[in-house]
Coordinates of all heavy atoms in Angstrom, one line a residue:
G1 N 1.9 95.2 -11.3 CA 3.3 94.9 -11.5 C 4.0 95.1 -10.2 O 3.5 95.4 -9.1
P2 N 5.3 95.0 -10.2 CA 6.1 95.1 -9.0 C 6.1 96.5 -8.5 O 5.9 97.5 -9.2 CB 7.5 94.7 -9.4 CG 7.6 94.8 -10.9 CD 6.1 94.6 -11.4
R3 N 6.3 96.7 -7.2 CA 6.3 98.0 -6.6 C 7.7 98.6 -6.5 O 8.7 97.8 -6.5 CB 5.8 97.9 -5.1 CG 4.4 97.5 -5.0 CD 4.1 97.4 -3.5 NE 2.7 97.0 -3.3 CZ 1.7 97.8 -3.0 NH1 1.9 99.1 -2.9 NH2 0.5 97.4 -2.8
S4 N 7.9 99.9 -6.4 CA 9.2 100.5 -6.2 C 9.7 100.0 -4.8 O 8.9 99.8 -3.9 CB 9.0 102.0 -6.2 OG 8.6 102.5 -7.4
V5 N 11.0 99.9 -4.7 CA 11.6 99.4 -3.5 C 11.4 100.4 -2.4 O 11.5 101.6 -2.5 CB 13.1 99.1 -3.8 CG1 13.9 98.7 -2.5 CG2 13.3 98.0 -4.8
G6 N 11.2 99.8 -1.2 CA 11.1 100.6 0.0 C 9.8 101.4 0.2 O 9.8 102.3 1.1
T7 N 8.7 101.1 -0.5 CA 7.5 101.9 -0.4 C 6.6 101.4 0.7 O 5.6 102.0 1.1 CB 6.7 102.0 -1.8 OG1 6.5 100.6 -2.2 CG2 7.6 102.7 -2.8
L8 N 6.8 100.2 1.2 CA 6.0 99.6 2.2 C 6.9 99.5 3.5 O 8.1 99.7 3.5 CB 5.5 98.2 1.8 CG 4.6 98.1 0.6 CD1 4.3 96.7 0.2 CD2 3.4 98.9 0.8
K9 N 6.2 99.1 4.6 CA 6.9 99.0 5.9 C 7.9 97.9 5.8 O 7.7 96.9 5.2 CB 5.9 98.8 7.0 CG 5.1 100.0 7.3 CD 4.1 99.7 8.4 CE 3.2 100.9 8.7 NZ 2.3 100.6 9.8
P10 N 9.0 97.9 6.6 CA 10.0 96.8 6.6 C 9.4 95.7 7.5 O 8.5 95.9 8.3 CB 11.2 97.5 7.3 CG 10.7 98.6 8.1 CD 9.5 99.1 7.4
N11 N 10.0 94.5 7.4 CA 9.6 93.4 8.2 C 10.2 93.6 9.6 O 10.8 94.6 9.9 CB 9.9 92.0 7.6 CG 11.4 91.8 7.5 OD1 12.3 92.5 8.1 ND2 11.8 90.8 6.7
E12 N 10.0 92.6 10.4 CA 10.4 92.6 11.8 C 12.0 92.7 12.0 O 12.5 93.1 13.0 CB 9.9 91.5 12.7 CG 10.4 90.1 12.2 CD 9.6 89.5 11.1 OE1 8.7 90.1 10.5 OE2 10.0 88.4 10.6
L13 N 12.7 92.4 10.9 CA 14.2 92.5 10.9 C 14.6 93.9 10.3 O 15.8 94.1 10.2 CB 14.8 91.4 10.1 CG 14.5 90.0 10.6 CD1 15.0 88.9 9.6 CD2 15.0 89.8 12.0
G14 N 13.7 94.7 9.9 CA 14.0 96.0 9.3 C 14.4 95.9 7.8 O 14.9 96.8 7.3
I15 N 14.0 94.8 7.2 CA 14.4 94.6 5.8 C 13.1 94.9 4.9 O 12.1 94.4 5.2 CB 14.8 93.1 5.5 CG1 16.1 92.8 6.4 CG2 15.1 92.9 4.1 CD1 16.5 91.3 6.4
F16 N 13.3 95.7 3.9 CA 12.2 96.1 3.0 C 12.1 95.0 1.9 O 13.1 94.5 1.4 CB 12.5 97.4 2.4 CG 12.4 98.6 3.3 CD1 13.5 99.0 4.1 CD2 11.2 99.2 3.4 CE1 13.4 100.1 4.9 CE2 11.0 100.3 4.3 CZ 12.1 100.7 5.1
D17 N 10.9 94.8 1.5 CA 10.5 94.1 0.2 C 11.1 92.7 0.2 O 11.5 92.2 -0.8 CB 11.1 94.9 -1.0 CG 10.6 96.3 -1.0 OD1 9.4 96.5 -0.8 OD2 11.5 97.2 -1.2
M18 N 11.1 92.0 1.3 CA 11.7 90.7 1.4 C 10.8 89.6 0.8 O 11.2 88.7 0.2 CB 12.0 90.3 2.9 CG 12.8 89.1 3.0 SD 14.4 89.4 2.3 CE 15.2 87.9 2.7
S19 N 9.5 89.8 0.9 CA 8.5 88.9 0.3 C 7.5 89.5 -0.5 O 7.0 90.6 -0.2 CB 7.8 88.1 1.5 OG 8.8 87.4 2.3
G20 N 7.1 88.8 -1.6 CA 5.9 89.2 -2.4 C 6.2 90.2 -3.5 O 5.3 90.3 -4.4
N21 N 7.3 90.9 -3.6 CA 7.5 91.8 -4.7 C 8.0 91.1 -5.9 O 7.5 91.2 -7.0 CB 8.4 92.9 -4.3 CG 8.3 94.2 -5.2 OD1 7.2 94.5 -5.6 ND2 9.4 94.9 -5.3
A22 N 9.1 90.4 -5.8 CA 9.6 89.5 -6.9 C 10.3 88.3 -6.2 O 10.9 88.4 -5.2 CB 10.7 90.3 -7.6
W23 N 10.2 87.2 -6.9 CA 10.9 86.0 -6.5 C 12.4 86.4 -6.4 O 12.9 87.1 -7.3 CB 10.7 84.8 -7.4 CG 9.4 84.1 -7.4 CD1 8.4 84.3 -8.3 CD2 9.0 83.1 -6.6 NE1 7.4 83.5 -8.0 CE2 7.7 82.7 -7.0 CE3 9.6 82.5 -5.5 CZ2 7.0 81.7 -6.3 CZ3 8.9 81.5 -4.8 CH2 7.6 81.1 -5.2
E24 N 13.1 85.9 -5.4 CA 14.5 86.1 -5.3 C 15.3 84.9 -5.6 O 15.1 83.8 -5.0 CB 14.9 86.7 -4.0 CG 14.2 88.0 -3.7 CD 14.6 88.7 -2.4 OE1 15.5 88.1 -1.7 OE2 14.0 89.7 -2.1
W25 N 16.3 85.0 -6.6 CA 17.2 83.9 -6.8 C 18.1 83.7 -5.6 O 18.6 84.6 -5.0 CB 18.1 84.2 -8.1 CG 17.4 84.1 -9.4 CD1 17.0 85.1 -10.1 CD2 17.0 82.9 -10.1 NE1 16.4 84.6 -11.3 CE2 16.4 83.3 -11.2 CE3 17.2 81.5 -9.8 CZ2 15.9 82.3 -12.2 CZ3 16.7 80.6 -10.7 CH2 16.1 81.0 -11.9
C26 N 18.3 82.4 -5.3 CA 19.2 82.1 -4.2 C 20.4 81.2 -4.6 O 20.3 80.6 -5.7 CB 18.4 81.3 -3.1 SG 17.1 82.2 -2.4
K27 N 21.4 81.1 -3.9 CA 22.6 80.3 -4.2 C 22.2 78.8 -4.1 O 22.9 78.0 -4.7 CB 23.7 80.7 -3.3 CG 25.0 79.9 -3.5 CD 26.0 80.3 -2.5 CE 27.2 79.4 -2.6 NZ 28.2 79.6 -1.6
D28 N 21.3 78.5 -3.2 CA 21.0 77.1 -2.9 C 20.5 76.3 -4.2 O 19.9 76.8 -5.1 CB 19.8 77.0 -1.9 CG 20.1 77.7 -0.6 OD1 21.3 78.2 -0.4 OD2 19.2 77.8 0.2
N29 N 20.9 75.0 -4.2 CA 20.4 74.1 -5.2 C 19.0 73.6 -4.8 O 18.8 73.3 -3.6 CB 21.4 72.9 -5.3 CG 22.7 73.3 -5.9 OD1 22.7 74.0 -6.9 ND2 23.8 72.8 -5.3
F30 N 18.1 73.4 -5.7 CA 16.8 73.0 -5.4 C 16.7 71.5 -5.3 O 17.2 70.8 -6.2 CB 15.8 73.5 -6.5 CG 14.4 73.2 -6.2 CD1 13.7 74.0 -5.2 CD2 13.7 72.2 -6.8 CE1 12.4 73.8 -4.9 CE2 12.4 71.9 -6.5 CZ 11.7 72.7 -5.6
G31 N 16.0 71.0 -4.3 CA 15.7 69.6 -4.2 C 15.1 69.4 -2.8 O 14.8 70.3 -2.1
R32 N 14.8 68.1 -2.5 CA 14.1 67.8 -1.3 C 15.1 68.1 -0.1 O 16.3 67.7 -0.2 CB 13.7 66.4 -1.2 CG 12.5 66.1 -2.2 CD 12.0 64.7 -2.0 NE 10.9 64.4 -2.8 CZ 9.7 64.6 -2.5 NH1 9.4 65.0 -1.3 NH2 8.7 64.3 -3.3
Y33 N 14.5 68.6 1.0 CA 15.3 68.7 2.2 C 15.2 67.4 3.0 O 14.3 66.7 2.8 CB 14.7 69.8 3.1 CG 14.9 71.2 2.6 CD1 13.9 72.2 2.9 CD2 16.0 71.6 2.0 CE1 14.1 73.5 2.5 CE2 16.2 72.9 1.6 CZ 15.2 73.9 1.8 OH 15.4 75.2 1.4
S34 N 16.2 67.2 3.8 CA 16.2 66.1 4.7 C 15.0 66.2 5.7 O 14.6 67.3 6.0 CB 17.5 66.1 5.5 OG 17.4 65.2 6.6
S35 N 14.5 65.1 6.2 CA 13.4 65.2 7.1 C 13.8 65.5 8.5 O 13.0 65.8 9.4 CB 12.7 63.8 7.1 OG 13.5 62.8 7.5
S36 N 15.1 65.6 8.8 CA 15.6 65.9 10.1 C 15.5 67.4 10.3 O 15.5 68.2 9.4 CB 17.1 65.5 10.3 OG 17.9 66.1 9.4
T37 N 15.5 67.9 11.6 CA 15.4 69.3 11.9 C 16.7 69.9 11.4 O 17.8 69.5 11.7 CB 15.3 69.5 13.4 OG1 14.1 68.8 13.8 CG2 15.2 70.9 13.8
Q38 N 16.6 71.1 10.8 CA 17.7 71.8 10.2 C 17.6 73.3 10.4 O 16.5 73.8 10.5 CB 17.8 71.6 8.7 CG 17.9 70.1 8.3 CD 17.9 70.0 6.8 OE1 18.8 70.5 6.1 NE2 16.9 69.3 6.3
T39 N 18.7 74.0 10.5 CA 18.8 75.4 10.5 C 19.4 75.9 9.2 O 20.5 75.4 8.9 CB 19.6 76.0 11.7 OG1 18.9 75.5 12.9 CG2 19.6 77.5 11.7
N40 N 18.8 76.7 8.4 CA 19.3 77.2 7.1 C 19.7 76.1 6.2 O 20.8 76.0 5.7 CB 20.4 78.2 7.4 CG 20.8 78.9 6.1 OD1 20.0 79.1 5.2 ND2 22.0 79.4 6.0
P41 N 18.7 75.2 5.8 CA 19.1 74.1 4.9 C 19.4 74.7 3.5 O 18.8 75.7 3.1 CB 17.8 73.3 4.8 CG 16.7 74.2 5.2 CD 17.3 75.2 6.2
V42 N 20.3 74.1 2.8 CA 20.8 74.6 1.5 C 20.4 73.7 0.4 O 20.8 73.9 -0.7 CB 22.3 74.9 1.5 CG1 22.6 76.0 2.5 CG2 23.1 73.7 1.8
G43 N 19.8 72.5 0.7 CA 19.4 71.6 -0.4 C 20.6 70.7 -0.7 O 21.6 70.6 -0.1
P44 N 20.4 70.0 -1.9 CA 21.5 69.0 -2.3 C 22.7 69.7 -2.7 O 22.8 70.9 -3.0 CB 20.8 68.3 -3.4 CG 19.8 69.2 -4.0 CD 19.3 70.0 -2.8
S45 N 23.8 68.9 -2.7 CA 25.1 69.5 -3.1 C 25.2 69.8 -4.6 O 25.9 70.7 -5.0 CB 26.3 68.5 -2.8 OG 26.1 67.3 -3.5
S46 N 24.3 69.2 -5.4 CA 24.3 69.6 -6.8 C 22.8 69.4 -7.3 O 22.1 68.6 -6.8 CB 25.2 68.8 -7.7 OG 24.9 67.5 -7.7
S47 N 22.5 70.2 -8.3 CA 21.1 70.1 -8.9 C 21.1 71.0 -10.1 O 21.8 72.1 -10.1 CB 20.1 70.6 -7.9 OG 18.8 70.7 -8.6
P48 N 20.4 70.7 -11.2 CA 20.3 71.6 -12.3 C 19.4 72.8 -12.0 O 19.3 73.7 -12.8 CB 19.6 70.7 -13.4 CG 18.9 69.7 -12.7 CD 19.7 69.4 -11.4
F49 N 18.7 72.8 -10.9 CA 17.8 73.9 -10.5 C 18.3 74.7 -9.4 O 18.9 74.2 -8.5 CB 16.4 73.3 -10.1 CG 15.9 72.3 -11.2 CD1 16.0 70.9 -10.9 CD2 15.3 72.8 -12.3 CE1 15.5 70.1 -11.9 CE2 14.8 71.9 -13.3 CZ 14.9 70.5 -13.0
K50 N 18.0 76.0 -9.4 CA 18.4 76.9 -8.3 C 17.1 77.4 -7.6 O 16.1 77.5 -8.2 CB 19.2 78.1 -8.8 CG 20.5 77.8 -9.4 CD 21.4 77.2 -8.4 CE 22.8 76.9 -9.0 NZ 23.6 76.2 -8.0
V51 N 17.2 77.7 -6.3 CA 16.1 78.0 -5.5 C 15.7 79.5 -5.8 O 16.6 80.4 -5.9 CB 16.4 77.8 -4.0 CG1 15.3 78.5 -3.1 CG2 16.6 76.4 -3.7
I52 N 14.4 79.7 -5.9 CA 13.8 81.1 -5.8 C 12.9 81.1 -4.6 O 12.3 80.1 -4.2 CB 13.1 81.5 -7.1 CG1 12.0 80.6 -7.4 CG2 14.1 81.7 -8.2 CD1 11.1 81.0 -8.6
R53 N 12.9 82.2 -3.9 CA 12.1 82.3 -2.6 C 11.2 83.6 -2.6 O 11.6 84.6 -3.2 CB 13.0 82.4 -1.4 CG 13.6 81.0 -1.1 CD 14.2 81.1 0.3 NE 14.8 79.8 0.7 CZ 14.1 78.8 1.2 NH1 12.9 78.9 1.5 NH2 14.7 77.7 1.5
G54 N 10.2 83.6 -1.8 CA 9.4 84.7 -1.4 C 8.2 85.1 -2.3 O 7.6 86.1 -1.9
G55 N 7.9 84.4 -3.3 CA 6.8 84.8 -4.1 C 6.9 86.1 -4.9 O 8.0 86.7 -4.8
S56 N 5.9 86.5 -5.6 CA 6.0 87.7 -6.3 C 4.6 88.3 -6.5 O 3.6 87.6 -6.2 CB 6.6 87.5 -7.7 OG 5.7 87.0 -8.6
W57 N 4.5 89.5 -7.0 CA 3.2 90.1 -7.2 C 2.3 89.3 -8.2 O 1.1 89.5 -8.2 CB 3.4 91.5 -7.7 CG 4.2 91.6 -9.0 CD1 5.6 91.6 -9.1 CD2 3.7 91.5 -10.3 NE1 5.9 91.6 -10.5 CE2 4.7 91.5 -11.2 CE3 2.4 91.4 -10.8 CZ2 4.6 91.5 -12.6 CZ3 2.2 91.4 -12.2 CH2 3.3 91.4 -13.1
Y58 N 2.9 88.5 -9.0 CA 2.2 87.8 -10.1 C 1.5 86.6 -9.6 O 0.6 86.1 -10.2 CB 3.2 87.5 -11.2 CG 2.6 86.9 -12.4 CD1 1.9 87.7 -13.3 CD2 2.8 85.5 -12.7 CE1 1.4 87.1 -14.5 CE2 2.2 85.0 -13.9 CZ 1.5 85.8 -14.7 OH 1.0 85.2 -15.9
Y59 N 1.9 86.1 -8.4 CA 1.4 84.8 -7.9 C 0.4 85.0 -6.7 O 0.3 86.1 -6.3 CB 2.6 83.9 -7.4 CG 3.4 83.4 -8.6 CD1 4.4 84.2 -9.1 CD2 3.1 82.2 -9.1 CE1 5.1 83.7 -10.2 CE2 3.8 81.7 -10.2 CZ 4.9 82.5 -10.8 OH 5.6 82.0 -11.8
V60 N -0.2 83.9 -6.3 CA -1.2 84.0 -5.2 C -0.5 84.5 -3.9 O 0.7 84.3 -3.7 CB -1.9 82.7 -5.0 CG1 -2.8 82.3 -6.2 CG2 -0.9 81.6 -4.7
A61 N -1.3 85.1 -3.0 CA -0.7 85.8 -1.8 C -0.1 84.8 -0.9 O 0.9 85.1 -0.2 CB -1.8 86.5 -1.1
N62 N -0.5 83.5 -0.8 CA 0.1 82.6 0.2 C 1.5 82.2 -0.2 O 2.2 81.6 0.6 CB -0.8 81.4 0.5 CG -0.9 80.4 -0.7 OD1 -0.5 80.8 -1.8 ND2 -1.4 79.3 -0.4
L63 N 2.0 82.6 -1.4 CA 3.4 82.3 -1.8 C 4.3 83.5 -1.4 O 5.5 83.4 -1.5 CB 3.5 82.0 -3.3 CG 2.9 80.7 -3.8 CD1 3.0 80.6 -5.3 CD2 3.5 79.5 -3.1
A64 N 3.7 84.5 -0.9 CA 4.5 85.7 -0.5 C 5.0 85.5 0.9 O 4.7 86.3 1.9 CB 3.7 87.0 -0.6
R65 N 5.9 84.5 1.1 CA 6.5 84.2 2.4 C 7.8 83.6 2.2 O 8.1 83.0 1.2 CB 5.6 83.3 3.3 CG 5.2 82.0 2.5 CD 4.0 81.3 3.2 NE 3.5 80.2 2.4 CZ 4.0 79.0 2.4 NH1 5.0 78.7 3.2 NH2 3.6 78.1 1.6
L66 N 8.7 83.7 3.2 CA 10.1 83.2 3.0 C 10.2 81.7 2.8 O 11.1 81.2 2.2 CB 10.9 83.6 4.2 CG 11.1 85.1 4.4 CD1 11.9 85.4 5.6 CD2 11.7 85.7 3.2
T67 N 9.2 81.0 3.4 CA 9.3 79.5 3.3 C 8.8 79.0 1.9 O 9.0 77.9 1.6 CB 8.5 78.8 4.4 OG1 7.2 79.3 4.3 CG2 9.1 79.1 5.7
A68 N 8.2 79.9 1.1 CA 7.7 79.6 -0.2 C 9.0 79.5 -1.1 O 9.8 80.4 -1.2 CB 6.7 80.6 -0.8
R69 N 9.1 78.4 -1.8 CA 10.3 78.3 -2.7 C 9.9 77.5 -4.0 O 9.0 76.7 -3.9 CB 11.5 77.7 -2.0 CG 11.3 76.3 -1.6 CD 12.5 75.8 -0.8 NE 12.4 74.3 -0.7 CZ 13.2 73.4 -1.3 NH1 14.3 73.9 -2.0 NH2 13.0 72.2 -1.1
D70 N 10.7 77.7 -5.0 CA 10.5 76.9 -6.2 C 11.9 76.7 -6.8 O 12.9 77.2 -6.2 CB 9.6 77.7 -7.2 CG 9.0 76.8 -8.3 OD1 9.3 75.6 -8.3 OD2 8.3 77.3 -9.2
G71 N 12.0 75.9 -7.9 CA 13.3 75.6 -8.4 C 13.4 75.6 -9.9 O 13.5 74.5 -10.5
P72 N 13.3 76.7 -10.6 CA 13.4 76.8 -12.1 C 14.8 76.6 -12.5 O 15.8 76.7 -11.7 CB 12.9 78.1 -12.4 CG 13.2 79.0 -11.3 CD 13.0 78.1 -10.1
Y73 N 15.0 76.3 -13.8 CA 16.3 76.2 -14.3 C 17.0 77.6 -14.2 O 16.4 78.6 -14.3 CB 16.3 75.9 -15.8 CG 16.0 74.4 -16.1 CD1 14.8 74.1 -16.6 CD2 17.0 73.5 -16.0 CE1 14.5 72.7 -16.9 CE2 16.8 72.2 -16.3 CZ 15.5 71.8 -16.7 OH 15.3 70.5 -17.0
P74 N 18.3 77.6 -13.9 CA 19.0 78.9 -13.7 C 19.0 79.8 -14.9 O 19.1 81.0 -14.7 CB 20.4 78.5 -13.3 CG 20.6 77.0 -13.4 CD 19.2 76.5 -13.7
H75 N 18.9 79.3 -16.1 CA 18.9 80.2 -17.2 C 17.5 80.7 -17.6 O 17.3 81.6 -18.4 CB 19.4 79.4 -18.5 CG 18.6 78.3 -18.9 ND1 18.7 77.0 -18.3 CD2 17.6 78.1 -19.8 CE1 17.9 76.2 -18.9 NE2 17.1 76.9 -19.7
Y76 N 16.5 80.2 -16.8 CA 15.1 80.7 -17.0 C 14.9 82.1 -16.4 O 15.3 82.3 -15.3 CB 14.1 79.7 -16.5 CG 12.7 80.1 -16.6 CD1 12.0 80.0 -17.9 CD2 11.9 80.7 -15.6 CE1 10.7 80.4 -18.0 CE2 10.6 81.1 -15.8 CZ 10.0 80.9 -17.0 OH 8.7 81.3 -17.2
T77 N 14.3 83.0 -17.1 CA 14.0 84.3 -16.6 C 12.6 84.7 -17.0 O 12.1 84.3 -17.9 CB 15.0 85.4 -17.1 OG1 14.9 85.4 -18.5 CG2 16.4 85.1 -16.7
N78 N 12.1 85.6 -16.1 CA 10.8 86.2 -16.5 C 10.7 87.5 -15.7 O 11.6 87.9 -14.9 CB 9.6 85.3 -16.3 CG 9.2 85.1 -14.9 OD1 9.4 86.0 -14.0 ND2 8.5 84.0 -14.6
Y79 N 9.7 88.2 -15.9 CA 9.6 89.6 -15.3 C 9.3 89.7 -13.8 O 9.2 90.8 -13.3 CB 8.5 90.3 -16.1 CG 7.2 89.6 -16.1 CD1 6.3 89.6 -15.1 CD2 6.9 88.8 -17.2 CE1 5.1 88.9 -15.1 CE2 5.7 88.1 -17.3 CZ 4.8 88.1 -16.3 OH 3.7 87.4 -16.3
N80 N 9.2 88.6 -13.1 CA 9.0 88.7 -11.7 C 10.1 88.0 -10.9 O 9.8 87.5 -9.8 CB 7.6 88.2 -11.3 CG 7.3 86.8 -11.7 OD1 8.2 86.1 -12.2 ND2 6.1 86.3 -11.6
Y81 N 11.3 87.9 -11.4 CA 12.4 87.4 -10.7 C 13.4 88.5 -10.4 O 13.5 89.4 -11.2 CB 13.2 86.3 -11.5 CG 12.4 85.0 -11.7 CD1 13.0 84.0 -12.5 CD2 11.2 84.7 -11.0 CE1 12.3 82.8 -12.6 CE2 10.6 83.6 -11.2 CZ 11.1 82.6 -12.0 OH 10.5 81.4 -12.2
G82 N 14.1 88.4 -9.3 CA 15.1 89.4 -9.0 C 16.2 88.8 -8.1 O 16.2 87.5 -8.0
F83 N 17.0 89.6 -7.5 CA 18.0 89.0 -6.6 C 18.3 90.1 -5.5 O 18.0 91.3 -5.7 CB 19.3 88.6 -7.3 CG 20.0 89.7 -7.9 CD1 21.1 90.3 -7.3 CD2 19.7 90.1 -9.2 CE1 21.8 91.3 -7.8 CE2 20.4 91.2 -9.8 CZ 21.5 91.8 -9.1
R84 N 18.8 89.7 -4.4 CA 19.1 90.6 -3.3 C 20.6 90.6 -3.1 O 21.2 89.5 -3.0 CB 18.4 90.2 -2.1 CG 18.6 91.1 -0.9 CD 17.8 90.7 0.3 NE 16.4 90.8 0.0 CZ 15.6 91.9 0.2 NH1 16.2 93.0 0.8 NH2 14.3 91.9 -0.1
V85 N 21.2 91.7 -3.2 CA 22.7 91.9 -2.9 C 22.9 91.9 -1.4 O 22.2 92.7 -0.7 CB 23.3 93.1 -3.6 CG1 24.7 93.3 -3.2 CG2 23.0 93.1 -5.1
V86 N 23.7 91.0 -0.9 CA 24.0 91.0 0.6 C 25.4 91.2 0.8 O 26.3 90.7 0.1 CB 23.6 89.5 1.1 CG1 23.9 89.4 2.6 CG2 22.2 89.2 0.8
R87 N 25.7 92.1 1.8 CA 27.0 92.4 2.2 C 27.2 92.0 3.6 O 26.4 92.3 4.5 CB 27.3 93.9 2.1 CG 28.7 94.3 2.4 CD 28.9 95.8 2.2 NE 28.2 96.5 3.3 CZ 28.8 97.1 4.3 NH1 30.1 97.1 4.4 NH2 28.1 97.8 5.2
I88 N 28.2 91.2 3.9 CA 28.5 90.7 5.3 C 29.5 91.7 5.8 O 30.6 91.8 5.3 CB 29.0 89.3 5.3 CG1 27.9 88.4 4.7 CG2 29.4 88.9 6.7 CD1 28.4 86.9 4.5
P89 N 29.2 92.3 7.0 CA 30.1 93.3 7.5 C 31.4 92.7 8.0 O 31.5 91.6 8.3 CB 29.3 93.9 8.7 CG 28.1 93.1 8.9 CD 28.0 92.2 7.7

């Protein structure tokens, strides 16, 4: 199952548990990205699906990375989804 927060080393940005513990719900709408080079793409302007990122303990190890994403319905929940609270200083 999922691990307690902060029990492993942080990533290179000093952030704990960013990948592999639980998929994280994102604000972005899920859909195909443009083929042009982009920084911080957010997906289409509307979609019935929301992005989840980072994999979880329940899935294969190669999905435990920031570029791994999926797009379930926003009302769908299961035991390996979470969210990260972000505060902009």
